[in-house]
Amino acid sequence: MKAIQIFSYGTPDVLAVTEVERPEPGPGQVLVAVAASSVNGHDALLRSGAMKIVSGRRFPIGVGLDFAGVVAGTGPGVHGVAIGELVWGTVHPREKHAVAGAAEFVVVAADRIGPVPAGLSAVQAAALVVPGITALAALRGATHLAAGETVLVRGAAGGVGTATVQLAHGFGGRVTALARTRHAAALTGLGAERVLDYRETAPEEAGRFDVIVDTVGTDLARYRRRLTKGGRMVTVGLSGPAIAAIAASTVFGSRRIRTFSADPRTRQLAELAGQVASGAIVPVIDGVHPLAGIASAHRAFDAGGVLGRQVVRVSTSEDPVDPA
């Protein structure tokens, strides 16, 4: 089967389509015939070598945190998962994988998948897994957003940003989105009350907010100062300076800068599916790329300035590859 692997760290040019043995599910595992994957910040960091403390220097390393596809097999001890079922899920984000989501087949623990919500294609599902779960964790688990509170979403045009705008609006938040002006109409349509161009608006000019969700990871201290009394801030844009800012903010107690690691399991995927079913969130896709063109998807992600996700279509049609 075909899989995307890297044999060294670097630019998107290090991504290679390789031929590998099809994996087999072990106890508690499922085999998924992948139809689509997407490009996450995790994938870009892994590819560049920024996560080498986890991934190490032994190659090859598989790429692709998330996936959507059809269950092609189950290992011993797996119950409640049907062969042929369309599912979405992720590989373990803190483990090294020789084959990951950007491959024709992937093996994962059965508790890392869930049924794709009715009405979503595999491409749409792949675009929503990590952004949706991350937005849910930011708004419910980390900041406990309440209806009527003001919310600032920084990096609002990205995958996590567009998901956060939608869910914050759905939870009753009054959303201000920081993004490029050309995305203002789309973000307003997703639920933002205001859209401010981050290139023209200093943090001090944006106003004050009960909740700030940051996906960028820079100028965190300046944005933290925009919190109201009792406000909460979370960032998913981790870097060296961001980690330093998070550590320095602990003196501010409840108004410190928080972060978290979203690790989707079946329960969280079911919660996200419920939000999809209610109409609170839809996938936002900027581009769809073939498996052989995954480098172009990573280049678009690295360049930024787009609206939504870069999706990699693993099979040659909308349907997953034949699981037989």
Side-chain angles (χ1 to χ4, degrees):
M1 71 169 197
K2 292 181 173 61
I4 300 298
Q5 296 178 312
I6 60 173
F7 294 82
S8 64
Y9 297 120
T11 69
D13 293 328
V14 303
L15 295 161
V17 182
T18 61
E19 291 284 342
V20 300
E21 292 294 322
R22 171 174 157 169
E24 294 297 330
Q29 295 182 324
V30 296
L31 174 70
V32 178
V34 179
S37 182
S38 72
V39 181
N40 296 277
H42 175 280
D43 301 313
L45 291 171
L46 174 67
R47 184 211 75 225
S48 70
M51 291 179 60
K52 65 181 66 173
I53 191 171
V54 174
S55 55
R57 293 185 176 276
R58 294 184 63 184
F59 298 95
I61 298 172
V63 176
L65 177 60
D66 54 28
F67 58 85
V70 164
V71 176
T74 59
V78 174
H79 306 285
V81 178
I83 303 297
E85 181 179 14
L86 183 61
V87 297
W88 57 359
T90 70
V91 300
H92 198 297
R94 293 184 295 278
E95 293 180 0
K96 177 180 175 180
H97 306 276
V99 173
E104 290 184 319
F105 291 88
V106 67
V107 165
V108 295
D111 67 352
R112 303 199 68 85
I113 64 168
V116 167
L120 288 191
S121 68
V123 165
Q124 291 172 319
L128 197 53
V129 179
V130 171
I133 293 294
T134 303
L136 277 173
L139 296 170
R140 288 226 165 128
T143 62
H144 303 285
L145 174 67
E149 289 191 311
T150 53
V151 185
L152 177 68
V153 182
R154 190 167 175 233
V160 174
T162 52
T164 304
V165 168
Q166 294 179 77
L167 289 180
H169 170 70
F171 296 158
R174 299 173 55 198
V175 181
T176 295
L178 279 179
R180 300 192 182 201
T181 299
R182 69 170 179 263
H183 299 315
L187 290 168
T188 299
L190 294 175
E193 290 187 8
R194 295 193 303 162
V195 180
L196 304 177
D197 193 315
Y198 66 90
R199 298 168 300 178
E200 301 171 0
T201 308
E204 296 74 17
E205 299 171 329
R208 291 196 175 273
F209 302 91
D210 300 308
V211 169
I212 298 176
V213 179
D214 170 85
T215 72
V216 180
T218 60
D219 284 339
L220 296 183
R222 290 179 70 188
Y223 280 98
R224 193 207 64 78
R225 297 188 190 104
R226 308 318 303 159
L227 289 173
T228 60
K229 183 179 180 179
R232 292 87 67 202
M233 178 175 174
V234 64
T235 182
V236 297
L238 293 183
S239 62
I243 293 170
I246 292 167
S249 76
T250 57
V251 297
F252 297 102
S254 64
R255 296 174 70 235
R256 69 188 183 277
I257 304 167
R258 308 157 195 258
T259 190
F260 62 91
S261 177
D263 186 13
R265 301 298 179 97
T266 301
R267 182 178 63 80
Q268 289 86 358
L269 291 167
E271 183 179 1
L272 178 59
Q275 297 297 329
V276 173
S278 73
I281 186 169
V282 298
V284 181
I285 298 173
D286 179 80
V288 180
H289 310 257
L291 187 65
I294 192 172
S296 66
H298 274 245
R299 290 189 193 100
F301 180 90
D302 288 353
V306 299
L307 182 71
R309 301 290 275 177
Q310 304 300 322
V311 178
V312 177
R313 193 194 301 273
V314 177
S315 60
T316 56
S317 69
E318 181 60 24
D319 297 321
V321 293
D322 186 352

